[in-house]
Amino acid sequence: MIPLIILVVVVVVIGLWLVGMYNGLVRLKNQLKNAWAQIDVQLKRRHDLIPNLVETVKGYAGHEKTTLQNVVEARTKAVSAQGVEAQAQAEGELSSALGRLMVVVEQYPDLKANQNFLALQEELTSTENRISFSRQHYNDSVMTYNTRLQSFPVNVFAGMFGFSAEAFFEIEDAAQREVPKVQF
């Protein structure tokens, strides 16, 4: 009778441990999804601001059509990107295009003084800061989740439950990592 009780206790303890491990992974996975949703919200906000910014700049710098067209194309690509890697690459291209647009804007003092442009620029700057914070939070969530998945003994059982590692939101373009050169 005692060996049977011991066996039942061991099975119950192992079962509770597996349930706890599974629930912990589910919690981390949901936190990861929430962190991605926060990035998505901020990217949507950014995507919504860009057409207004382009239209404002177009009124002052109409002959800069190539730069404006590059921003619009990069935005379109970013809006339609699916998955973390594709989204990161598309957003990197959009950031580069916006950077080139801001360089063009420097050549137009009347545009830089336009209240509508200044308000849009401030909104875009605020949104970029929010995106940066959201990306950092997402990457922290990915690190926590992936670390848990790769830790023993969770790594033995995680695959059986359908959990797999997630990708970080990284900048892959080396040019985007370079510090901008400022000259006075």
Side-chain angles (χ1 to χ4, degrees), residues 28-145:
L28 291 173
K29 183 73 168 182
N30 287 335
Q31 286 175 346
L32 190 72
K33 286 179 181 180
N34 179 52
W36 179 254
Q38 296 306 315
I39 290 175
D40 205 35
V41 165
Q42 298 308 322
L43 293 177
K44 170 84 169 94
R45 177 184 163 121
R46 177 193 208 192
H47 298 158
D48 290 346
L49 287 171
I50 290 171
N52 296 331
L53 186 67
V54 167
E55 285 301 314
T56 302
V57 172
K58 193 184 292 185
Y60 285 87
H63 64 282
E64 301 285 354
K65 289 183 181 175
T66 304
T67 303
L68 295 171
Q69 185 177 358
N70 288 343
V71 171
V72 171
E73 288 173 2
R75 177 192 177 271
T76 302
K77 187 175 179 182
V79 168
S80 63
Q82 298 293 317
V84 176
E85 292 91 357
Q87 189 80 43
Q89 182 178 357
E91 291 300 328
E93 291 172 16
L94 180 56
S95 292
S96 293
L98 283 172
R100 289 188 296 277
L101 178 64
M102 291 305 159
V103 169
V104 167
V105 165
E106 292 296 318
Q107 300 170 15
Y108 299 93
D110 291 342
L111 175 59
K112 290 184 348 184
N114 178 290
Q115 291 301 316
N116 190 30
F117 175 76
L118 291 174
L120 287 169
Q121 188 177 26
E122 179 61 33
E123 280 293 315
L124 190 59
T125 300
S126 171
T127 300
E128 293 294 334
N129 290 337
R130 291 176 184 178
I131 291 169
S132 177
F133 178 76
S134 295
R135 285 178 181 164
Q136 180 182 359
H137 177 67
Y138 174 79
N139 283 340
D140 288 345
S141 297
V142 169
M143 182 195 64
T144 301
Y145 175 75

Side-chain angles (χ1 to χ4, degrees), residues 154-175:
V154 174
N155 62 348
V156 174
F157 298 100
M160 290 189 301
F161 292 132
F163 292 97
S164 59
E166 294 290 331
F168 287 95
F169 197 115
E170 298 178 297
I171 296 175
E172 294 179 11
D173 184 4

